[in-house]
Amino acid sequence: MDATSAPRFPWDAGLYKDRHSFVWKYGTSAVDLLAPRPGERILDLGCGTGHLTARIAEAGARVVGIDSSAEMIAEARRGFPGLRFEVADARDFALDEPFDAVFSNAVLHWVKPPERAVACIRRSLAPGGRFVAELGGRGNVAAIVASLEAASGAMGVEGWEHPWYYPSIGEYAALLESDGLEVAQAVLFDRPTPLEGEDGLRSWVTMFARDLVERVPPDGREEFFGRVEESARGTLHRDGAWFADYRRLRIVARRVGSSPG
Ligand code: BEZ
């Protein structure tokens, strides 16, 4: 899940597992798009708690999960002791074998600069190997970001730049093509995602915008969350529940050329 050094704090794997497991649950349909086959060598890039890695393994593929978060890898090893998981950075990894496919769910929007991840992905694929990914696309969580900016602006909290990269189809396809990957499918779609409980939005912010929350003095946090909720309520609260305004970009691409490396 965390494949970059962007967040300065360790991931709270417990909060992720308890309240944000929807991230990997929605990713199961991305595994369907991957369509893993028995015997294939597959890399799960940014595997988080390993649930999708396990799904891929269930199809009979030989899968390796990598994630830059030691906390997530520890959780994945606990949950799925029979599978291989390694700590590795999406911008700087090299594994000992070429893969038939690289899969990634809800990770690459954390990785900057994206060119470095794409170069590693291309190098890890065997010629003709496929890259199947879902990430936040252009406009992802725009209303959440606006409410975070409104609340932090009103309280004079400075210095937070949102850490995410949300490309358009054209931008991401151009990036892949410039590095020798041929794009076969690309789709950008809205996925309004229910956040459990009346504190659902603050739980999301605590989990995913921790760098910002930590900039707010502890005695101002209640006010901060109140402001975030007030600003987001008109757009993101309906029928008694909070929603995150996710927009997903799904990509299927293939490594072109026949020479390795
Ligand atoms: C996402 O999956 O789109 C996402 C998750 C956490 C923070 C920002 C975006």
Side-chain angles (χ1 to χ4, degrees):
M1 199 260 272
D2 162 26
T4 178
S5 58
R8 286 178 299 122
F9 301 98
W11 282 105
D12 185 339
L15 181 61
Y16 178 77
K17 202 166 71 159
D18 293 347
R19 302 285 304 272
H20 303 93
S21 57
F22 62 80
V23 174
W24 69 260
K25 287 181 180 153
Y26 279 112
T28 54
S29 57
V31 175
D32 295 340
L33 188 63
L34 171 71
R37 292 186 291 269
E40 279 194 311
R41 298 156 302 178
I42 298 186
L43 176 65
D44 182 5
L45 173 58
C47 61
T49 49
H51 288 84
L52 295 181
T53 325
R55 278 258 169 164
I56 295 168
E58 277 167 21
R62 290 195 285 123
V63 62
V64 181
I66 63 172
D67 200 292
S68 73
S69 162
E71 293 75 20
M72 289 292 183
I73 289 295
E75 186 65 37
R77 286 179 178 151
R78 260 194 302 278
F80 305 100
L83 299 182
R84 179 176 162 202
F85 296 102
E86 308 286 350
V87 176
D89 188 322
R91 297 161 305 174
D92 184 21
F93 67 89
L95 290 132
D96 41 13
E97 55 176 343
F99 290 91
D100 299 306
V102 174
F103 171 79
S104 183
N105 176 58
V107 169
L108 290 167
H109 49 253
W110 290 100
V111 180
K112 290 185 198 171
E115 293 81 2
R116 286 188 48 194
V118 170
C120 289
I121 291 164
R122 200 248 310 130
R123 276 198 299 269
S124 12
L125 282 171
R130 63 201 189 281
F131 169 51
V132 178
E134 178 174 315
L135 64 153
R138 175 69 57 84
N140 193 42
V141 296
I144 297 184
V145 170
S147 68
L148 295 175
E149 285 172 351
S152 49
M155 292 177 70
V157 178
E158 287 174 356
W160 183 70
E161 285 174 24
H162 83 74
W164 306 303
Y165 163 67
Y166 300 137
S168 66
I169 289 180
E171 192 181 341
Y172 207 62
L175 188 65
L176 296 176
E177 285 168 3
S178 71
D179 205 347
L181 291 157
E182 192 172 74
V183 176
Q185 286 180 43
V187 54
L188 179 68
F189 59 98
D190 290 321
R191 182 191 284 145
T193 299
L195 302 174
E196 204 184 293
E198 197 40 44
D199 66 345
L201 182 59
R202 49 178 85 193
S203 175
W204 189 98
V205 171
T206 304
M207 177 81 215
F208 296 118
R210 190 164 158 200
D211 281 21
L212 172 58
V213 174
E214 297 282 339
R215 285 176 188 272
V216 180
D219 63 357
R221 300 241 170 105
E222 198 46 44
E223 178 188 346
F224 173 75
F225 284 124
R227 283 181 181 273
V228 170
E229 287 171 344
E230 191 186 308
S231 154
R233 189 168 292 277
T235 332
L236 299 179
H237 196 271
R238 50 187 179 274
D239 304 326
W242 287 106
F243 287 80
D245 52 336
Y246 281 139
R247 290 192 99 196
R248 317 315 283 168
L249 175 60
R250 276 196 177 172
I251 287 272
V252 179
R254 263 182 203 284
R255 178 176 167 169
V256 289
S258 53
S259 53

